[in-house]
Amino acid sequence: MVLEETLIIRGPIDVPEVTRAFREAGMPARITQTVALEGLVSAKGTIRDLKALLKEEVSRIEEGEDTGPGGVHDPFLDVVERIAEVLAEFMERYQPGDVIPMADIKEWMAPSAGAAPEEEPAEAVLPDVESSMLYRFMAITALDENGLIETGAEGAVVQGHMEPEDVVLTLPGGVVEDIEPEVLKEHGILTEMTVTAVPEYRLEFGPEAVLGADLDKVDELADDLEIDEDEYISFREGVSLKQVVTARTIEVLEERGTLAPAEVAEALGSSAVGGTEDGWEIVLDLTPEFVKGLLTDLRKIGLVRKKGAGFRSI
């Protein structure tokens, strides 16, 4: 059926809740579960090697481009340097053998934004606070991965210290995606892909659900269920366009009577949805094969009737 639409949700979900939510939004769905493989690329190296690599990349870009007086700014280099600072702060504050309660770890990872200056609104300091929390989270992760702390449900025990520059960091692969493999190897940076099996749920909507969807309500539903934005945008566009094409197809049949699929396709292509008074228009360039499938779906749900080789509106 050409009027069917599928929405893919990856990751664990509460199937009954999702089914109920879409049904209440006027879009009953059939849900099937499969498993998808996802590859997550990361870059690993000591802080010293990562800093050397990123500084070399900055120099290489500056040599090849007119960067102006400000030079090249590498945000990833900033991240690595900030994490090194946080690691040094942690190891100065806590000594080997110290037992750190979970409450203290949470307090250390989420420093207060403090009072904002009178001339600066409180919202202005939030990005800095969020960045600081991210650096501290990445630092705690690095401490754990390097065996410098042992974490448990009630807190952590400091196992040892090492020079922050020698700590191995695991960073998103995007940090090094534009750098040649040979250069990464020279700096001792390892790129690694972790392949994981992720549950994938396919929500299949029939023609009646697609054509009857209230997209404003479905938008709210997508936000509530935290559906992946890219997947939802593609799904929403498909539903919206099928609603537009169906509405115009029925208008053509009401205006011209019984038509064969090829004649409907020609009629759709000779006019547009919208116009100059609206400031926009949609041109429908559809094949007779697609239109035939569309008309067949509309007949099955009772919106058009077949008459000989043609179709007409109800």
Side-chain angles (χ1 to χ4, degrees):
M1 288 188 175
V2 300
L3 284 179
E4 289 182 337
E5 197 63 51
T6 300
L7 173 62
I8 296 175
I9 301 179
R10 292 189 174 89
I13 64 170
D14 185 332
V15 174
E17 177 192 359
V18 171
T19 303
R20 176 187 55 77
F22 272 98
R23 185 174 60 250
E24 290 178 354
M27 292 192 72
R30 183 168 68 92
I31 299 183
T32 59
Q33 180 182 353
T34 59
V35 177
L37 295 180
E38 290 188 353
L40 180 63
V41 178
S42 60
K44 282 181 150 183
T46 65
I47 288 178
R48 176 181 291 103
D49 290 340
L50 286 166
K51 286 167 66 175
L53 170 70
L54 295 173
K55 287 178 180 177
E56 181 179 293
E57 282 301 295
V58 168
S59 297
R60 181 183 64 79
I61 294 172
E62 287 179 333
E63 290 175 1
E65 299 179 6
D66 181 9
T67 59
V72 175
H73 172 74
D74 190 331
F76 295 125
L77 179 57
D78 289 347
V79 169
V80 174
E81 290 176 337
R82 287 290 297 276
I83 293 173
E85 292 172 2
V86 172
L87 287 169
E89 174 194 325
F90 182 93
M91 287 188 276
E92 182 178 348
R93 181 171 180 175
Y94 299 109
Q95 302 304 311
D98 285 354
V99 179
I100 314 172
M102 184 57 68
D104 289 356
I105 294 176
K106 290 180 179 179
E107 181 182 354
W108 180 80
M109 290 183 62
S112 172
E118 292 184 4
E119 67 277 7
E120 186 176 6
E123 290 82 355
V125 300
L126 290 179
D128 286 340
V129 174
E130 292 171 357
S131 296
S132 179
M133 291 174 64
L134 174 62
Y135 300 142
R136 289 168 185 263
F137 174 78
M138 295 178 74
I140 285 287
T141 301
L143 289 166
D144 188 41
E145 291 179 347
N146 284 263
L148 299 178
I149 61 172
E150 182 177 327
T151 57
E154 298 182 358
V157 179
V158 180
Q159 302 295 308
H161 281 176
M162 64 191 300
E163 285 295 323
E165 295 284 304
D166 294 328
V167 171
V168 175
L169 284 184
T170 301
L171 299 175
V175 173
V176 298
E177 64 181 351
D178 295 326
I179 302 177
E180 294 294 331
E182 295 78 9
V183 176
L184 296 176
K185 186 175 180 180
E186 289 174 6
H187 285 276
I189 306 302
L190 173 69
T191 53
E192 179 179 86
M193 175 181 284
T194 302
V195 180
T196 57
V198 180
E200 180 178 281
Y201 298 86
R202 300 176 64 86
L203 280 64
E204 299 171 357
F205 300 91
E208 291 176 297
V210 170
L211 299 183
D214 182 334
L215 290 176
D216 289 335
K217 289 183 179 179
V218 181
D219 287 344
E220 295 176 5
L221 174 61
D223 287 338
D224 292 341
L225 296 176
E226 298 182 349
I227 296 172
D228 178 80
E229 184 176 1
D230 291 337
E231 289 286 353
Y232 180 67
I233 288 174
S234 176
F235 166 77
R236 190 190 196 285
E237 181 180 35
V239 171
S240 177
L241 293 178
K242 287 174 181 178
Q243 289 181 348
V244 170
V245 168
T246 296
R248 181 58 186 143
T249 297
I250 292 175
E251 285 179 359
V252 166
L253 293 176
E254 289 175 345
E255 293 167 359
R256 306 194 186 189
T258 302
L259 296 174
E263 293 173 319
V264 175
E266 182 180 356
L268 292 172
S270 64
S271 62
V273 179
T276 55
E277 64 277 8
D278 300 315
W280 61 272
E281 64 179 19
I282 300 175
V283 177
L284 303 178
D285 183 14
L286 306 174
T287 64
E289 291 77 15
F290 175 87
V291 173
K292 182 178 181 180
L294 170 65
L295 292 167
T296 300
D297 284 356
L298 294 177
R299 180 182 65 81
K300 288 179 180 178
I301 61 176
L303 292 182
V304 303
R305 181 174 298 171
K306 197 168 190 300
K307 185 176 181 181
F311 294 82
R312 66 182 179 86
S313 63
I314 297 296

